[in-house]
Structures are given as C-alpha cells and as structure tokens.
Amino acid sequence: MPLLDFFLLSFLIVSAVAVARTRDLLSAVIIFAAYSLVMAIIWQMLGAPDVAITEAALGAGVTTFLFLATISKTQRLE
Amino acid sequence: MEVNPYVAVGILLLMAYVFFYLPAGYIRHVLIVLLVFIIGYALVMTVSEMPTFGAVDTPAHNVVPERYLGRAPEETGAVNVVTAIITDYRAFDTLGEVVVLFVAIVAALSNLKAR
Amino acid sequence: MEIISRLLENYYYFVSMVLFIIGIHTMLTHSNLIKKVIGMNIMDTSIFLFFVSIGYRRGGMAPIIQPGVEAEMYVNPLPSALILTGIVVAVSVTAYALSLIVELYKQYGTCCANEIAQIRAREES
Amino acid sequence: MKDIVIRTVCRVIVPFVQVYGLYVIFHGHLSPGGGFAGGAILGSSMVLFALSFHLEAGAQKLGHETSSYLESGGGIWYILIGLLGLALGSNFLTNRAAGLGFGLPGQLFSGGMIFLLSLGIGVKVASTMFTLFYNLSEEEGSGGDHQ
C-alpha cells in the first residue's frame, strides 16, 4: 500500500467517525466538506478526473451550502 | 460462499422492523449492533472474493470499454471518453437524469411553498 | 489468515466497506434527521468509491485519448460515466430530504425523530 | 452581511468563477469536466454573490421567473437537439452518425452536438442549484431578509 493512499484513506475513516460522533451539526457539516474534498483527491488518483471535478463542485460545494441553509433555519445543536 | 435465502429474507425483515417499528431504547440498540455485524460479515466475505484491486485482467475490462476506448474519437468526435459516453452513447440516460433534477426541484418547491 | 491478506490486497474495497458500515450505523443510531441525511451521503460516497476503484487499472492513465497510446493503457471509463450520474442524483435526493426536514421543523418545532414520533402518538391518543 | 472585505473580494472573484464555469462546460469533450461540473460551478458563483451581498440582490440578478424559464428551457433544449438527429434520418439523440459531425477530433468544434447538449445541461443544473438554495434559505414573511 503506497504511503499517500494510506494517509488519505485513513483520513476518510477518521473524518467519517468524527462526523458520526460530533454533537454540533455545523462542525459535522464542515468536517463532511473536508471529507468530500479528500474523496475528490482520491478519485483524481484513481484516474477519474471527471468524477473528481464534479465531486469537488457538487459534493463539497452545493451539498455544504444546502446543509448550511437548512441548519440556519432549524436548530444547530443536536 | 452460499447464502441461505431464508437468512437473507430474515435479515431484511429484521432491518425493516428495527428501522420502522421499534421504539428507541436498549433492545433497539442491541439489535442495531447485531444487524451491523451481520452486514459487515457479508461485506467482508464479498470483498475477500473480489478480483484483485488494480489488476490488468479484471473481469470489468471486457469488450465494452475496449470498444469505447478504441473507437470513441472517430465515432463521436470527442477526445474525452467519459463525455462521449454520457452525451453520445448513453444520452438517453442523461435525459432521464435531467428529468430527475426537474422532479427534485418540483418536489422541493411544492413542499416549501405549499400553504 | 487468507481473508486478512485478501483484505489488505484489496484495500480500497475494504475502506469503502468500512465507510458503508459507518454510514449505516450513523443512520440507524442517531435520531437527528440532519445527521441521518449526512449518514446517507457517507453511504453514497462509499458506494461510488467502490465502483470507481473496480475500474482502476494499475499504472493506467485518465481516459482522455492521446495519439499513439494503446487502448490497454487507459483506466475503464464506464464506472466513471455511471458514477457521474449517481452524484447528481444523490444531490437531488439530499435537497428533497432537506426540504422535508424544514417542513417538519415548521410543523413540530424539533428535528429529532423520536420526539416527532412521541408528539404524533400524543396527538393520536 | 455588511463586511467590506467580503463584498470587495466577491465582486472581483465572481466573474472569474463564471468564466471558469463556462470554460468547463464548453471544453467538456476535450478536457475533464462537462455539463454537470460546469453547471455546478456557475450555480455556486451565483450563490456566492447572493451570500456576500444580500439575498435580495441575488434575486434581482436572477429572478424567480427567469430561473424557472431557464430551467424548463434547458430540458426542452436537450430534447430539441435530440429531435434534430431524428429529423436527419437517424435515431433519437445521435449526432455524428446522423451526419452532424464536423472538425477533427481534438479541436474545439469537433464533437458534433456535444457542446450544445452540455450547454443545456449546464444551464439547467446552474438554475436548479440557485433556486434550491434560494428557496431553502428564504425567510418566512420578511421577503428574504437573510442574516
């Protein structure tokens, strides 16, 4: 297993667990945006640059501000 | 590995019972952990029998990607093969996806503006 | 142990499996609805990672045709094209679920699924 | 939000983001990208404008009527280009096999109708994302008085 793959994949697992364990929803959404960005880097490494650029625009951008708009209209703490 | 079909139907029924009918509490938590262990066991068995990651002769590389990679520039004129697939070879699929976007926004607007 | 060596060989599949389990555990144990939607997104991305890593070929290039390169040198373009559809559908489903959550918060004043179930049981009785 | 730094930086940045989105849409058959990614970048630029100024200012730039027309028009544009292949004596949504191809592979005008289809998809995705964000973050009675 190459070293960069190991770091990125372990970052994915750690940030997924952190999303599940965080009580603050705003922190959870921001950690999820970082998760999506690392996922885009992994797809670039896997040879799928189309999926990487779409994930960086849709997953890390659009999903985050949809979640933020919802949290600003509902409660922030879980 | 052979999976008994009665076991599979039982897992699905357990999942539906836990997810829809069981109230929150101690028994629900125990059943959820049991369910997650069953799903994890099935996934481990599946992954351990998959073909090796990154191998040149995986079964996914059959005649269809060979055709797309070999003849996409002369048949569609696009150098990027992924764009050639989603807007030329499978353009009807993309039309369905446009309809999915339209249905999503119609559903969200009728939900938010209904009063 | 043969299974462990197979899992270490297929480490991308193993990581996508772990992410799927984390996502489904988040969906089943948390009662907050927004946290449930985030868990569903984690399950989505794990399945997308599984699909794209099936099409990978070691040392392969991105599927943009350059002259003089044989077809065996590129990775498989078909899972990328399918997953590109799946990402947009996932965003659509997320947007619809969030609009439902906003309406539920207007009706019941909370985002917790258990409290909503209690309020509905109290209203029915 | 009344921050002068954010307003000035967004006023400079938004045109470049939009030009990059159009580049990604029109070069979808030569480089990574395509309709979905470029449309998401265009919609994100409009959301950035609406967030940094006022939600009303974004609605003045792209109103509800215009947004719904763009959205329906993207889908109808896609179907019309599909029917063009049908009119030329071939199947629905074919371009180069129906005789619409022109140019050598690798040049900008080479993919037949691919970049027109990408334009339709991009306009539809951009207006969908902006409308979803606007309707999710709009306040109840005050007419979009955000923050």
Side-chain angles (χ1 to χ4, degrees):
Chain A
M1 182 184 306
L3 195 61
L4 187 57
D5 285 11
F6 176 72
F7 277 130
L8 291 178
L9 293 176
S10 51
F11 182 85
L12 279 187
I13 295 178
V14 168
S15 59
V17 174
V19 165
R21 298 297 294 172
T22 312
R23 310 296 295 180
D24 191 1
L25 284 176
L26 192 61
S27 309
V29 170
I30 291 172
I31 295 171
F32 184 70
Y35 170 91
S36 294
L37 204 59
V38 172
M39 192 64 100
I41 296 173
I42 283 178
W43 279 332
Q44 173 63 37
M45 285 167 56
L46 282 178
D50 299 86
V51 189
I53 198 169
T54 309
E55 171 77 18
L58 276 174
V62 175
T63 310
T64 305
F65 64 65
L66 288 180
F67 273 120
L68 288 186
T70 309
I71 287 174
S72 76
K73 292 193 76 169
T74 61
Q75 56 196 8
R76 178 178 164 179
L77 292 178
E78 188 177 352
Chain B
M1 192 185 95
E2 287 290 322
V3 174
N4 198 347
Y6 295 107
V7 176
V9 173
I11 289 173
L12 286 179
L13 286 180
L14 181 67
M15 199 170 181
Y17 179 66
V18 167
F19 201 61
F20 290 118
Y21 291 110
L22 206 60
Y26 184 67
I27 301 176
R28 180 183 164 111
H29 214 86
V30 169
L31 278 182
I32 283 173
V33 170
L34 179 68
L35 192 64
V36 165
F37 269 105
I38 291 172
I39 293 174
Y41 178 72
L43 287 177
V44 164
M45 282 303 139
T46 308
V47 164
S48 66
E49 292 191 1
M50 290 287 289
T52 311
F53 168 72
V56 181
D57 53 351
T58 52
H61 295 282
N62 51 10
V63 69
V64 183
E66 295 291 327
R67 160 70 183 258
Y68 285 160
L69 284 171
R71 301 190 58 188
E74 66 199 45
E75 279 185 352
T76 68
V79 182
N80 190 357
V81 184
V82 178
T83 305
I85 290 174
I86 65 170
T87 52
D88 197 311
Y89 287 113
R90 302 189 175 200
F92 209 78
D93 185 9
T94 311
L95 177 61
E97 192 177 351
V98 168
V99 174
V100 166
L101 270 174
F102 191 74
V103 169
I105 192 166
V106 165
L109 283 188
S110 69
N111 204 0
L112 288 171
K113 297 290 179 188
R115 65 182 61 92
Chain C
M1 296 291 285
E2 194 195 349
I3 288 180
I4 295 178
S5 70
R6 291 290 298 167
L7 287 183
L8 287 181
E9 221 171 19
N10 296 337
Y11 52 97
Y12 270 94
Y13 303 156
F14 179 66
V15 170
S16 69
M17 184 195 86
V18 172
L19 289 178
F20 186 87
I21 291 176
I22 291 171
I24 200 170
H25 188 259
T26 307
M27 255 186 105
L28 285 176
T29 54
H30 287 264
S31 67
N32 192 301
L33 289 170
I34 297 177
K35 198 60 94 52
K36 276 181 197 287
V37 177
I38 295 178
M40 193 184 70
N41 270 306
I42 290 177
M43 281 169 68
D44 281 340
T45 44
S46 77
I47 293 173
F48 299 159
L49 178 63
F50 183 69
F51 253 71
V52 175
S53 60
I54 280 176
Y56 182 65
R57 184 183 297 210
R58 198 173 293 279
M61 303 161 58
I64 296 172
I65 302 292
Q66 295 167 2
V69 181
E70 293 181 357
E72 284 80 20
M73 291 297 292
Y74 300 106
V75 303
N76 197 347
L78 205 47
S80 303
L82 298 179
I83 289 315
L84 206 57
T85 305
I87 289 175
V88 180
V89 174
V91 172
S92 305
V93 171
T94 305
Y96 179 51
L98 290 179
S99 75
L100 280 180
I101 288 172
V102 169
E103 277 301 310
L104 279 174
Y105 187 79
K106 272 183 203 165
Q107 289 290 325
Y108 293 102
T110 178
C111 272
C112 180
N114 294 331
E115 292 179 12
I116 290 175
Q118 286 175 4
I119 291 172
R120 292 189 59 152
R122 215 181 302 139
E123 281 176 354
E124 283 176 359
S125 65
Chain D
M1 207 185 296
K2 300 277 186 203
D3 198 352
I4 184 77
V5 177
I6 290 177
R7 287 193 175 194
T8 311
V9 170
C10 286
R11 190 179 293 139
V12 174
I13 259 181
V14 164
F16 290 100
V17 177
Q18 286 179 346
V19 167
Y20 180 65
L22 287 176
Y23 168 78
V24 169
I25 287 176
F26 284 116
H27 285 247
H29 55 289
L30 300 179
S31 61
F36 297 108
I41 293 169
L42 275 180
S44 302
S45 74
M46 283 183 276
V47 169
L48 178 66
F49 182 80
L51 274 180
S52 63
F53 286 84
H54 203 262
L55 217 56
E56 284 293 307
Q60 279 179 0
K61 293 289 181 189
L62 185 66
H64 277 176
E65 290 283 323
T66 317
S67 182
S68 58
Y69 279 130
L70 279 180
E71 211 177 301
S72 315
I76 293 173
W77 173 253
Y78 196 95
I79 296 175
L80 281 182
I81 291 179
L83 288 178
L84 189 60
L86 201 62
L88 285 175
S90 182
N91 291 325
F92 186 61
L93 281 169
T94 52
N95 50 18
R96 202 172 172 102
L100 283 175
F102 42 83
L104 289 174
Q107 293 174 350
L108 180 56
F109 293 103
S110 68
M113 286 297 156
I114 283 181
F115 69 99
L116 292 177
L117 289 179
S118 294
L119 178 64
I121 298 171
V123 166
K124 182 164 177 53
V125 172
S127 59
T128 299
M129 294 309 160
F130 182 70
T131 314
L132 275 177
F133 171 75
Y134 190 79
N135 283 294
L136 268 178
S137 65
E138 183 180 43
E139 286 297 326
E140 189 56 35
S142 59
D145 193 8
H146 196 53
Q147 295 287 338

